Amino acid sequence: SPFRGNRNESKYILNITQRLSEIYNIDIESIAEKTTHNAYKLFNISWRIYYLYTQEEPLAWSKKIIH
């Protein structure tokens, strides 16, 4: 890991996602979908509430990061 020993921060999410993609041989979009779904379940967030608050589809953030 290029950041081993550093504090775990959200700025490393793309690096972590890329590494998970390599380890599990799945595409980054699938990881984004699964982790987003897990966050909605964990924090009891409805995708409808998310949309009303942000005015964007729930996975729009992942598309911005990836592309």
Side-chain angles (χ1 to χ4, degrees), residues 9 15 23-24 33 37 40 43 45 53 57 62 65 67:
E9 296 184 29
N15 301 88
I23 292 170
Y24 293 106
E33 288 176 16
H37 176 74
Y40 286 164
F43 297 111
I45 301 170
Y53 180 72
E57 61 182 279
S62 66
I65 292 172
H67 300 292

Side-chain angles (χ1 to χ4, degrees), residues 1-13 16:
S1 168
F3 306 106
R4 184 170 298 280
N6 291 340
R7 182 180 169 173
N8 187 14
E9 296 184 29
S10 58
K11 67 182 178 180
Y12 302 131
I13 288 176
I16 294 166

Side-chain angles (χ1 to χ4, degrees), residues 1-54:
S1 168
F3 306 106
R4 184 170 298 280
N6 291 340
R7 182 180 169 173
N8 187 14
E9 296 184 29
S10 58
K11 67 182 178 180
Y12 302 131
I13 288 176
L14 184 55
N15 301 88
I16 294 166
T17 305
Q18 289 170 334
R19 184 68 178 130
L20 288 172
S21 175
E22 294 168 8
I23 292 170
Y24 293 106
N25 197 29
I26 57 176
D27 59 299
I28 293 175
E29 289 83 3
S30 294
I31 294 172
E33 288 176 16
K34 290 175 184 180
T35 55
T36 299
H37 176 74
N38 288 343
Y40 286 164
K41 285 175 42 179
L42 177 65
F43 297 111
N44 197 25
I45 301 170
S46 166
W47 68 268
R48 291 179 180 95
I49 293 172
Y50 176 88
Y51 178 79
L52 289 172
Y53 180 72
T54 64

